[in-house]
Amino acid sequence: MKIGILGGTFNPIHIGHIYIAEECCRRLELQKVILVPTYIPPHKSAKDLVRAEQRLEMCRLAAENHTSFEVCDYEICNNDRSYTYRTLEFLHGKYQEGNFYLIMGEDMFLTVQDWRKPHKIYEMAALCAAKREDGSDLQLKSQALRLENEGARCIILDMKPLTLSSTTIRDGLKQGKDVSGLLDQQVLEYIGKNGLYGRT
């Protein structure tokens, strides 16, 4: 079984995340894509981070209309700093026949060698990079070659970049802007109902 894994803070999950997951599912012919919200991300600051249980629920709502999507609460339930190699070990135990594809944006792909126990990650999953902006192809290909020399399997996805960030959405919500086109409708309703990101 070919399984994609897309992790992140999902603060909140938005159409950019869904777009990457859908494109990877189609292009790599994946049977499923597992969304894995982090508890505490080790690689970046977590500004305006809402509660883990709320981010998990938003992921579940966003996944409802996608039959190939699942949501994994391992990192949330682990209640500790999130490390990708641990999550992959858990998923390998759960899906012993799984062939895993770790989906990431270009910023994560360019720094994956600095993550905790990167060689364990390389052993357990192919690295699938989605470019974030036009003109980054050479940089991504150079990084792929470097990682492959370290034993990684890399796939650079030639897909149209969708420049959208959770920070932009949070700022828009705080300012009362219309962000309805950037979020799943159920996620937007959940944000409003629970007063997240200054939304009332």
Side-chain angles (χ1 to χ4, degrees):
M1 177 182 286
K2 297 174 71 175
I3 302 173
I5 303 169
L6 179 60
T9 52
F10 299 122
N11 188 41
I13 189 168
H14 54 66
I15 62 168
H17 299 124
I18 300 302
Y19 167 71
I20 290 175
E22 287 179 331
E23 282 293 296
C24 288
C25 195
R26 181 178 66 84
R27 292 166 182 258
L28 301 175
E29 299 181 336
L30 305 177
Q31 275 69 58
K32 67 174 65 182
V33 175
I34 302 175
L35 305 175
V36 187
T38 60
Y39 180 66
I40 301 174
H43 306 297
K44 61 180 180 180
S45 61
K47 183 181 179 183
D48 301 325
L49 191 66
V50 301
R51 291 200 335 254
E53 295 78 9
Q54 294 172 321
R55 292 182 287 110
L56 178 64
E57 182 60 24
M58 286 189 282
C59 286
R60 286 175 171 156
L61 291 170
E64 280 187 359
N65 294 324
H66 302 270
T67 56
S68 58
F69 289 7
E70 289 185 10
V71 179
C72 173
D73 63 1
Y74 169 75
E75 293 188 1
I76 300 292
C77 293
N78 201 34
N79 203 36
D80 195 3
R81 192 166 291 276
S82 301
Y83 291 110
T84 299
Y85 83 91
R86 290 178 182 168
T87 302
L88 284 170
E89 287 176 338
F90 168 77
L91 291 173
H92 266 272
K94 184 175 181 180
Y95 302 99
Q96 296 184 11
E97 301 301 318
N99 188 8
F100 292 94
Y101 296 78
L102 185 61
I103 303 164
M104 60 185 75
E106 68 175 50
D107 52 345
M108 293 291 100
F109 183 68
L110 293 173
T111 60
V112 67
Q113 70 277 358
D114 300 322
W115 296 9
R116 182 68 62 92
K117 299 187 179 181
H119 287 89
K120 280 187 170 290
I121 297 173
Y122 306 160
E123 291 171 5
M124 291 186 284
L127 308 181
C128 305
K131 62 182 180 182
R132 188 158 189 166
E133 57 189 35
D134 289 319
S136 60
D137 302 69
L138 288 178
Q139 188 178 20
L140 291 176
K141 289 177 181 177
S142 176
Q143 172 70 343
L145 181 60
R146 186 180 306 116
L147 294 173
E148 286 167 352
N149 287 335
E150 294 293 324
R153 294 165 291 148
C154 300
I155 300 171
I156 307 298
L157 296 163
D158 183 19
M159 51 193 282
K160 182 180 179 181
L162 187 60
T163 54
L164 177 63
S165 72
S166 295
T167 302
T168 300
I169 292 173
R170 292 196 304 271
D171 290 344
L173 287 165
K174 289 175 185 176
Q175 296 165 20
K177 294 181 179 178
D178 180 11
V179 297
S180 56
L182 307 178
L183 298 164
D184 177 274
Q185 182 60 34
Q186 291 190 91
V187 172
L188 183 60
E189 291 173 1
Y190 180 87
I191 288 171
K193 181 179 179 180
N194 291 275
L196 305 183
Y197 313 114
R199 187 77 165 193
T200 57

